Amino acid sequence: MSNYKYIFFDIYGTLAGFYPEREKIQQKILSKNQIYLTEEQISMGYKFADEFMTVQKKTNPLRNLSAIDKKKFFSKYEQKILEANGIVVEDEKSSRIWEQISKEPYDLKIFDDVSENLKWLASKGINSAGITNMDITGEKLLKNLSLEGLLQFIVTSLDTHSEKPDSKIFLFSMEKANVKANESIFIGDQIESDIMGAKNAGMFPILIDRYGYYKDFSDTLKIKNLDDLKKIF
């Protein structure tokens, strides 16, 4: 894959995750509400909830929702986590659970395999950058995650007023990097927003499946973690 000059990475779920992990936070609050699930069950529930979020962002980004509509959305989001595990709760209860979860403190931290592998890519002459739907400037996110010197830049939905899978955010990022689509790889953990979005923008997509959500997905190259990049380049 020597013809590729740039690898663009999704951020959440690909390069970084919540700390404490969102499964632990969810489990803590659910237990207080007499709902008992394992972290593995909650993780799988998040898969379906995140897919629900992708559809929402594609049709109407969360930043455009009113406070009432955003509250309704996250009530449904919580229900998706529970429904994936055969648990049905009323809107009022799911809204109350999510409100409790949203009050829990957390940080966004890069995964343990990020720094070493981004440095290794750089040693191979491959530049790296980020593309994310987060509502924060890329410059601030780059600093918050201490990724300066590891990523050339991060482009966010706030920077471009567009959301993956819209091609606009991918095209903007490639223009910023001064590379063509056939010179670009995109690595992400979501099928529609990341893989289909990158593919539609003409990039070569790679799915990172850290949690084994997509064992049967074979439409594109797939890796388990960033260490697998050393098998490709």
Side-chain angles (χ1 to χ4, degrees):
M1 305 186 80
S2 58
N3 57 312
Y4 292 101
K5 298 179 180 178
Y6 242 96
I7 298 182
F8 297 89
F9 292 89
D10 167 55
I11 300 300
Y12 180 76
T14 300
L15 295 187
F18 288 134
Y19 182 81
E21 293 85 353
R22 60 181 182 172
E23 289 81 5
K24 293 185 184 298
I25 295 173
Q26 181 82 218
Q27 188 180 50
K28 173 184 173 181
I29 300 303
L30 288 178
S31 296
K32 289 183 178 179
N33 287 272
Q34 289 75 53
I35 298 174
Y36 304 100
L37 293 173
T38 65
E39 289 184 28
E40 290 74 19
Q41 288 174 313
I42 293 169
S43 179
M44 184 54 66
Y46 267 117
K47 171 184 179 290
F48 294 99
D50 287 343
E51 289 171 353
F52 172 65
M53 181 176 285
T54 295
V55 173
Q56 174 64 44
K57 287 187 173 184
K58 185 177 179 181
T59 55
N60 190 12
L62 297 180
R63 66 177 179 274
N64 294 339
L65 297 182
S66 67
I68 292 174
D69 287 340
K70 192 174 289 188
K71 183 176 181 179
K72 289 179 180 177
F73 169 79
F74 281 109
S75 175
K76 295 294 184 186
Y77 182 86
E78 180 64 31
Q79 287 174 338
K80 294 291 182 182
I81 297 170
L82 298 175
E83 287 170 2
N85 291 285
I87 299 170
V88 177
V89 298
E90 299 288 336
D91 292 350
E92 183 181 349
K93 185 170 184 177
S94 61
S95 181
R96 185 171 67 252
I97 290 171
W98 187 262
E99 185 177 354
Q100 293 170 11
I101 288 171
S102 65
K103 292 178 180 177
E104 289 290 307
Y106 68 89
D107 290 317
L108 193 64
K109 292 179 61 176
I110 61 171
F111 295 122
D112 291 341
D113 60 356
V114 172
S115 294
E116 176 191 342
N117 285 294
L118 291 182
K119 289 176 182 176
W120 181 80
L121 288 171
S123 74
K124 294 289 184 180
I126 301 172
N127 290 311
S128 301
I131 304 176
T132 178
N133 283 348
M134 292 183 183
D135 287 323
I136 180 176
T137 66
E139 185 177 350
K140 186 173 183 180
L141 185 58
L142 194 68
K143 184 176 181 179
N144 288 353
L145 293 175
S146 299
L147 286 170
E148 299 146 309
L150 294 174
L151 295 181
Q152 298 297 315
F153 59 85
I154 297 176
V155 169
T156 72
S157 55
L158 185 63
D159 295 326
T160 62
H161 302 290
S162 63
E163 307 267 345
K164 296 179 295 177
D166 189 341
S167 292
K168 180 181 176 182
I169 193 169
F170 295 101
L171 296 174
F172 181 96
S173 301
M174 287 187 283
E175 184 176 350
K176 186 176 178 70
N178 193 29
V179 291
K180 299 175 182 177
N182 62 6
E183 299 171 324
S184 304
I185 290 172
F186 185 80
I187 300 177
D189 67 315
Q190 295 286 320
I191 300 297
E192 184 169 359
S193 61
D194 295 328
I195 302 308
M196 299 308 299
K199 191 174 183 179
N200 290 338
M203 307 166 88
F204 184 85
I206 297 177
L207 176 67
I208 184 166
D209 189 17
R210 289 185 179 275
Y211 307 106
Y213 288 161
Y214 302 106
K215 293 177 181 178
D216 298 327
F217 186 79
S218 58
D219 291 356
T220 190
L221 187 62
K222 184 168 61 176
I223 59 176
K224 290 177 61 179
N225 51 56
L226 295 186
D227 292 336
D228 284 349
L229 292 176
K230 293 174 181 174
K231 302 174 185 177
I232 300 173
F233 295 97

